[in-house]
Amino acid sequence: MLNTVLFDMGGTLEDIWNDETTLAAVMEELQAMLRSAGLEPGCGPAEFQEKVLAGLKAYKSWSESVWLEKKPEEIWPDFYLKDFGFDREKLLPITEDLANMWELTYFHRELRPGAAEMLESLERRGYKLGVVSNNASLYNVFNVLEDYGIRHFMRDVTVSSVTGYRKPHPEIFRISLRQMQVRAEECVYVGDTISRDIIGAKRAGLAKAVQIGSHLSAQKDAAVKDAAEKPDAVISDIRELTAWLDEVCPAMSAGRA
């Protein structure tokens, strides 16, 4: 019987997008944080942005080819800021702060309408809830869940930067299952992408996988082939998940308060 629901974070529990405004904001904040640490970029804003984005592209290319995640103290000096030749000893102490700032500034984030109420309804029905998220910051997901007031719903939060595995690598899902102390056949996974969420959950053997579209779904799934694993359901509003689960697992629905 299904008794566990695991969620992706960005694009699923929260709406997330980026644009030219968020890009300009993150570049300005990044330069300010570097200078506060005694690290001078030594170039103008346009060149600074070009170098950082080249490093970002290089890291994305590597991580998405092997579906692994490095920690902030490796990502920032070895990829994002590699072209600047910064003093590593000065850079390392602020790498997690940079990673967290990037997640909060490069992306606009807000909790999806009805998400908290949906989580409460699932908890009342007896579901165990958790998060499995790709994130290049060690603490960002935990902090954002607290800020949204929904951290207490989650029995476990599994993050790629902590585990070293990125979705769709099945190991990040297996780590979550062990930490949740549940079996794959008892779990539903909810995410916004085929390429990371649906494929990853299916290959890890989870019973069901549900997709909810986000602003970034098409971009992230651009390379997905037609023969890729398909979701068991597609929803457009996070609140629809409760009704869908009541249909596929009426025993849990019957047990709600």
Side-chain angles (χ1 to χ4, degrees):
M1 183 175 75
L2 300 175
N3 60 27
T4 302
V5 185
L6 301 174
F7 295 90
D8 170 51
M9 189 66 184
T12 300
L13 287 175
E14 57 180 354
D15 279 322
I16 179 173
W17 66 89
N18 61 304
D19 56 22
E20 289 301 319
T21 300
T22 64
L23 176 60
V26 79
M27 291 300 163
E28 183 176 348
E29 182 63 21
L30 178 55
Q31 290 179 79
M33 290 179 69
L34 290 170
R35 288 185 171 117
S36 293
L39 299 165
E40 178 56 51
C43 60
E47 184 179 351
F48 178 80
Q49 177 172 304
E50 182 180 354
K51 287 183 175 182
V52 173
L53 292 182
L56 173 65
K57 183 178 180 180
Y59 180 69
K60 183 178 180 181
S61 176
W62 174 82
S63 65
E64 294 187 356
S65 68
V66 293
W67 297 113
L68 299 178
E69 191 88 88
K70 292 182 180 290
K71 291 186 168 32
E73 66 254 31
E74 300 170 292
I75 295 172
W76 285 86
D78 297 339
F79 289 92
Y80 287 14
L81 300 176
K82 181 180 180 180
D83 287 349
F84 295 94
F86 288 133
D87 183 333
R88 199 178 187 94
E89 295 307 308
K90 288 185 177 181
L91 181 57
L92 288 181
I94 65 168
T95 51
E96 171 57 27
D97 291 337
L98 294 176
N100 183 61
M101 180 279 297
W102 185 276
E103 293 292 336
L104 294 176
T105 310
Y106 182 65
F107 297 103
H108 177 93
R109 299 173 178 270
E110 55 187 61
L111 187 65
R112 279 190 187 262
E117 294 80 1
M118 176 275 299
L119 293 170
E120 184 177 6
S121 73
L122 297 187
E123 186 179 65
R124 283 201 312 268
R125 285 160 169 76
Y127 286 100
K128 301 171 186 177
L129 307 176
V131 166
V132 182
S133 175
N134 285 350
N135 194 294
S137 161
L138 295 170
Y139 305 114
N140 172 261
V141 174
F142 299 90
N143 294 338
V144 171
L145 287 168
E146 290 283 0
D147 291 343
Y148 289 148
I150 59 174
R151 174 68 180 89
H152 64 283
F153 290 117
M154 307 306 174
R155 296 198 179 195
D156 177 70
V157 178
T158 299
V159 181
S160 60
S161 56
V162 177
T163 67
Y165 298 99
R166 281 182 65 85
K167 297 176 293 181
H169 200 301
E171 190 59 27
I172 190 172
F173 294 92
R174 293 175 188 142
I175 290 170
S176 176
L177 295 175
R178 290 196 293 271
Q179 294 177 167
M180 293 284 290
Q181 298 184 341
V182 297
R183 299 190 302 272
E185 59 266 27
E186 299 172 328
C187 294
V188 176
Y189 190 74
V190 185
D192 66 310
T193 65
I194 299 292
S195 57
R196 294 152 173 78
D197 300 312
I198 305 305
I199 289 176
K202 293 286 188 179
R203 292 181 181 176
L206 273 64
K208 301 286 184 182
V210 177
Q211 184 183 20
I212 180 168
S214 77
H215 296 282
L216 300 180
S217 294
Q219 172 190 325
K220 291 179 178 179
D221 287 344
V224 173
K225 298 179 181 178
D226 292 339
E229 287 87 343
K230 300 293 193 295
D232 295 287
V234 177
I235 58 177
S236 58
D237 188 307
I238 199 71
R239 288 165 287 203
E240 296 172 21
L241 182 64
T242 303
W244 180 80
L245 282 167
D246 285 349
E247 287 185 12
V248 299
C249 195
M252 293 293 284
S253 175
R256 67 182 184 269

